[in-house]
Amino acid sequence: GLPLEFFIEGGRTRDGVPLKPKFGMLSIICENYKKNLSQKQKRGVADVLMIPISLTYERVPEGRDMSQQRLGKPKTPESFWNIMWTGICLFFSNVPRGRLHVRCGAPLSLKRTMEESISVMETNSRANSSTNPGQWSTNLENTDVVAVGHAVQASICRVSVVPLTSLLTASLLSRFSSFSSSSSSVFAGATLDDLVDDVVDTAIMLSGVGGLLPDGVFGK
């Protein structure tokens, strides 16, 4: 009956691209649930509810370092003193860091997700065995854990907010023209009004397909 917090991606993604889910903690939870289910069938076992939470930063503190890494600079090793120095710089810096967007999705039932994954696996196995009678074998050992991990990750993606910094970056990147004969690129000039129009059009498009935008973005 205690809440447990862990990061499904094993850490954080600094560029906003979702990472593949990690199954270490999920496998422990699923195995514990199945073990209790087999031992306490008569009394019943309480379901496990998973709350997908999305944390989106408009700007990350190491943004400049990320740009240098894309250009070939090795990543700065993390250490205690680096963390302390970063905290001091953030505390005394007047550079705006934007907002942090926190969104929570609907609770996911571990029991229902596992049952649905096993049902789908059995259906697919029977369909595949129709061409080879007598060869039906179902491996359900890790199927439910993988299904739960992807279900949680998909729920997080559905409630993730697209920050304005990403919309602006997409507009800037779309104006780069790369040459196939070389690795160089040319930036097509754009006025501030052009960039604003791109951001507004992209925001309207994302909103039309169910994408989440920061609160009050259309008011601005």
Side-chain angles (χ1 to χ4, degrees):
L2 298 177
L4 177 65
E5 176 192 17
F6 61 92
F7 296 88
I8 188 66
E9 296 173 321
R12 65 191 179 112
T13 166
R14 298 187 301 173
D15 54 8
V17 179
L19 304 177
K20 293 182 179 180
K22 306 295 184 181
F23 304 109
M25 290 296 298
L26 281 179
S27 62
I28 296 176
I29 295 175
C30 293
E31 290 300 325
N32 182 69
Y33 177 80
K34 290 187 291 185
K35 181 179 180 180
N36 292 335
L37 193 63
S38 61
Q39 296 177 353
K40 305 176 182 179
Q41 289 183 351
K42 295 182 179 180
R43 291 185 296 174
V45 178
D47 195 3
V48 177
L49 297 181
M50 299 170 291
I51 312 297
I53 302 176
S54 170
L55 305 174
T56 304
Y57 295 85
E58 291 184 343
R59 292 186 62 182
V60 292
E62 63 272 45
R64 186 183 301 274
D65 190 42
M66 289 175 56
S67 301
Q68 295 297 323
Q69 293 177 26
R70 295 297 177 91
L71 296 176
K73 177 185 175 181
K75 181 181 178 180
T76 304
E78 297 182 359
S79 65
F80 172 78
W81 297 111
N82 287 339
I83 297 177
M84 293 295 296
W85 176 250
T86 301
I88 294 174
C89 293
L90 291 176
F91 184 80
F92 291 100
S93 175
N94 294 326
V95 178
R97 299 294 177 181
R99 294 187 296 174
L100 165 63
H101 304 281
V102 182
R103 296 293 186 273
C104 299
L108 297 176
S109 167
L110 178 63
K111 176 182 178 181
R112 180 180 303 176
T113 306
M114 292 176 62
E115 291 177 348
E116 291 177 353
S117 65
I118 294 177
S119 177
V120 171
M121 184 64 180
E122 291 177 345
T123 302
N124 294 337
S125 297
R126 290 191 179 94
N128 295 333
S129 64
S130 61
T131 57
N132 299 311
Q135 299 296 324
W136 178 40
S137 62
T138 306
N139 181 15
L140 300 177
E141 181 179 358
N142 296 320
T143 301
D144 48 6
V145 179
V146 175
V148 171
H150 286 288
V152 173
Q153 183 71 313
S155 298
I156 293 176
C157 291
R158 282 193 294 267
V159 298
S160 295
V161 174
V162 181
L164 293 180
T165 49
S166 296
L167 300 181
L168 179 59
T169 304
S171 175
L172 293 172
L173 293 177
S174 66
R175 299 180 182 277
F176 275 92
S177 300
S178 301
F179 296 95
S180 56
S181 59
S182 63
S183 59
S184 60
S185 302
V186 175
F187 177 71
T191 64
L192 180 59
D193 291 338
D194 293 335
L195 297 179
V196 172
D197 291 339
D198 289 347
V199 171
V200 172
D201 292 341
T202 307
I204 294 176
M205 180 190 67
L206 288 175
S207 179
V209 297
L212 296 181
L213 298 171
D215 297 333
V217 63
F218 287 108
K220 297 180 181 180

